[in-house]
Amino acid sequence: MVRDPFAADDAPDLQDVLDALDDQECRRIIEELDEPMTASEISEASDIPLSTTYRKLDLLTEASLLTEGVEIRPDGQHASTYEVAFEEVILGLSEDRETEVQIARRARTADERLENLWSEVRKET
């Protein structure tokens, strides 16, 4: 299931981000993602078993560090694709001296915004 692309605009949970970044396999996945890839492609490129790759992709998307899209295939067997959704992660202290996290994201292109909108329309139909 493709995650809501608009939900990534909310501040992620601090512990989710820390857990994902503390995980060596998650970091390896981030390092391999220089373009959108399917889970199978990520598994092969990072040398991580496919079942583990799916768990790590869930962890990374929950932390808002990856975005999930859809690769439309002519045979109708569409596949989820994943790409890095941040330029930097910033940890800081709030005015109340509580730890907070901010994720700096690159601006989305018009094509990416249209793709996100189309994904939302497909979910509704």
Side-chain angles (χ1 to χ4, degrees), residues 12 28 49:
R28 192 167 357 146

Side-chain angles (χ1 to χ4, degrees), residues 3 28 98:
R3 299 197 193 309
R28 192 167 357 146
E98 293 180 6

